Amino acid sequence: MTPAILRNRDFTLYWAGVVLSQIGTRGTVAANFYQVYELTHSVAYTGLVGAAQAVALLLLSPLGGALADRLDRRRLLQAAQGVALLVAVVLSWLTLAGQAEAWHVVLSVVLTTAAATFDQPARQALIPALVPRSQIGQAVALLNPSRELAVLVGPLLSGVLISLAGPGLMYVVDAVSYAVLVGVLATLRISKLESSGERRSILGSIAEGAKYIAHRPLVYNLMLLDLSATVFSAYRVLLPALALDVLHVGATGYGVLSGAPSAGALIATYAVFRTVQRSQRQGRVLLVSTALYGISAILLAHSPVFVLAVLAALLLGAFDAMSTTIRHAAVQIDTPDEIRGRVTAFYQMSSRGGPAIGDVVVGAVAGVIGPVGALTIGGLGPMVVAGWSWLRGGVVRSYTGIVEADDEGVGEDDEDPEEERRPVPGA
C-alpha cells in the first residue's frame, strides 16, 4: 500500500520540486569548485568557495529565520529561489561567453548561499502546513534522503555537463531547477493563518527565537548531539588523505569512498521512514544511532583494507540519516508555528555550520597527529555525548515522536480535516 503521505498531492509536488532543486544546487557547487581551480590553479583560492558558504550561512541564518516567521513563507521561498535563479543565469552567461573570473564565481556562491539562508528556514517551516502533524516525521524522512541523492547525482551530472560544454551548462540546468520549484510553489494549496499578537522588531524577533531555544531542553540537546557528530567526526575532510595516503586506492577509490555515506543513507531510507512512522522510542533510537555513528567513524579510521573502509562509510551514512531525520522532525514537532522559522534557522546554524567548523577543527588536528588519530579521537565525541545523554535520562531519551495511528491519511485530493493541519503564519 502506498504510504498516506505520498497520496498527498501538495507534499508530493513539493518533494519533487525540492529534489530537482537540490540536484541543481549540488551540481553547481561541484562546478564552482572545478571552475575556480581551473581559473586559478590555486587550492587556497578554491577553498574560498567553502569559506564563502560558511560566512553567509552563519551571518544571515538568524535573519532568515526571523523573516520566515514574519512573511508569507511560500512567497519568501519563491523570492529566495528567484534570487538564486538570477545569480545562476548571470554566472552561466559570463561562463558561456568566456568572461567569467574566479571572483565572479566566489561572489555567486556568497549570493546563492545568502539566498539559501532565507530559503532553508522557510522550506523546513513550511512542512507542517503541507502534512498532518502525525506525518511530519515521515515528511522529513523523505526529504532528508533527497539531500543524499543530490550529493550523488548532482556532482555526477555536473561532471557530464562540464565535459560537454564546460561549467556554464551546469549553471543553466541549475537555473531551470530553480524555476521549476518557483512554479511548483505557486501551485500548492496551503492553509493560511492570520498573524496575531505583537509585532516585534527584527532584532527582537531573533532574540525571542534564541530565548525560546534556551528554555527548550529538547531543542538545545538535539543541537548538542548534532554538533558532537558534525564537529568532532567531520570525516569528509579526511577522506582524501585516507584514500591516498592510508588505503592507497587513488582518485577512483576516493570517489567511491566519498559517495559511500550518501549511498548508505539512501539504503537506510526505508528503515528510517518506518522508524519515524511507527516507533515510540525515537529518542533511544537517536542516541544509539549517534553513538554508532561515532563507532563507524573509528572503524573507518582503522580499516586496514578498502572494502572495510567502504562498509564503514556506508554505516556512517545510514546512522547519520537515522539520527538526522529524528532530530529534524523533533524540532519541527516541538516548535510552535509562530516561531518555527527562527528556531529552524538557529538549528540550521548547527546542522549546516557544524560541518564547516568540523572541517577546520578535524583538519587542524589531522595536520598534527594524522588522519587516523584525528578521526579516532573525533569518533569518541558523539559516543560520549550520546552516552552521557542516555545515562542522565531526560527529554531526549524519553522522546517518542508523533506516531501515526493508521495508514489512512491524506488522499489524492488532499481532503484531510483542516484541524489535523498546523498551518504556518502567512503561508
Side-chain angles (χ1 to χ4, degrees):
M1 178 184 294
T2 303
I5 193 170
L6 293 182
R7 300 197 299 273
N8 180 328
R9 173 255 187 198
D10 292 313
F11 174 77
T12 302
L13 280 174
Y14 179 68
W15 181 34
V18 167
V19 170
L20 181 61
S21 177
Q22 287 184 331
I23 290 174
T25 298
R26 294 289 181 171
T28 289
V29 170
N32 291 154
F33 280 111
Y34 178 91
Q35 187 175 16
V36 170
Y37 187 77
E38 183 181 47
L39 291 170
T40 65
H41 299 287
S42 168
V43 176
Y45 204 121
T46 304
L48 291 178
V49 173
Q53 291 176 312
V55 169
L57 173 68
L58 294 175
L59 289 180
L60 294 177
S61 284
L63 178 59
L67 292 179
D69 287 333
R70 297 167 70 93
L71 304 177
D72 181 320
R73 287 173 182 161
R74 170 165 41 189
R75 301 297 177 233
L76 180 59
L77 266 172
Q78 288 178 310
Q81 293 286 304
V83 170
L85 187 159
L86 180 61
V87 173
V89 168
V90 172
L91 185 59
S92 64
W93 176 76
L94 288 172
T95 301
L96 292 173
Q99 299 178 5
E101 298 180 19
W103 70 269
H104 291 143
V105 182
V106 174
L107 178 60
S108 77
V109 172
V110 172
L111 295 175
T112 302
T113 306
T117 61
F118 296 95
D119 175 297
Q120 292 294 332
R123 182 182 296 191
Q124 289 288 329
L126 192 63
I127 295 172
L130 295 172
V131 302
R133 190 166 183 261
S134 62
Q135 294 178 355
I136 290 176
Q138 298 171 50
V140 175
L142 289 173
L143 286 166
N144 274 351
S146 304
R147 177 191 63 185
E148 307 300 339
L149 178 65
V151 170
L152 284 173
V153 176
L156 177 62
L157 175 64
S158 183
V160 172
L161 295 180
I162 289 172
S163 67
L164 291 175
L169 185 55
M170 180 66 240
Y171 302 147
V172 171
V173 172
D174 192 26
V176 172
S177 74
Y178 287 126
V180 170
L181 184 53
V182 170
V184 166
L185 289 167
T187 69
L188 300 183
R189 297 171 296 189
I190 304 173
S191 302
K192 288 190 176 182
L193 180 64
E194 296 298 328
S195 59
S196 60
E198 180 184 357
R199 177 61 65 93
R200 299 175 180 269
S201 66
I202 290 291
L203 289 178
S205 295
I206 293 173
E208 185 180 24
K211 182 179 179 181
Y212 177 86
I213 292 175
H215 290 85
R216 297 300 294 182
L218 177 62
V219 176
Y220 65 68
N221 275 286
L222 291 174
M223 293 176 71
L224 178 62
L225 279 170
D226 199 331
L227 288 170
S228 74
T230 57
V231 173
F232 294 111
S233 300
Y235 62 89
R236 290 191 185 275
V237 71
L238 302 178
L239 291 183
L242 291 174
L244 300 177
D245 302 330
V246 177
L247 297 169
H248 305 290
V249 292
T252 301
Y254 167 67
V256 173
L257 205 57
S258 297
S262 295
L266 291 173
I267 292 170
T269 297
Y270 179 77
V272 173
F273 184 85
R274 296 299 292 180
T275 297
V276 297
Q277 182 186 37
R278 299 298 184 194
S279 175
Q280 296 186 13
R281 296 185 175 183
Q282 293 183 33
R284 298 187 177 206
V285 174
L286 167 60
L287 294 177
V288 170
S289 297
T290 302
L292 290 174
Y293 179 90
I295 293 173
S296 300
I298 295 174
L299 176 62
L300 173 61
H302 291 274
S303 295
V305 295
F306 182 60
V307 172
L308 283 179
V310 171
L311 175 61
L314 288 169
L315 292 174
L316 271 170
F319 293 128
D320 182 46
M322 181 67 77
S323 56
T324 298
T325 298
I326 294 174
R327 288 195 308 264
H328 286 189
V331 170
Q332 297 301 317
I333 292 169
D334 185 70
T335 306
D337 295 314
E338 63 271 11
I339 202 170
R340 180 173 282 116
R342 283 162 284 177
V343 173
T344 301
F346 278 110
Y347 187 83
Q348 172 182 264
M349 293 175 70
S350 67
S351 64
R352 297 181 66 201
I357 297 171
D359 286 347
V360 175
V361 172
V362 174
V365 174
V368 177
I369 65 175
V372 173
L375 194 52
T376 300
I377 295 173
L380 295 175
M383 294 169 61
V384 169
V385 174
W388 170 75
S389 186
W390 182 285
L391 292 174
R392 69 189 290 264
V395 292
V396 175
R397 197 180 77 175
S398 61
Y399 173 70
T400 61
I402 300 296
V403 178
E404 195 175 38
D406 54 55
D407 203 31
E408 298 299 324
V410 182
E412 292 181 1
D413 295 325
D414 192 21
E415 294 177 350
D416 322 18
E418 284 295 324
E419 58 267 21
E420 278 198 3
R421 292 176 178 264
R422 299 186 63 193
V424 295

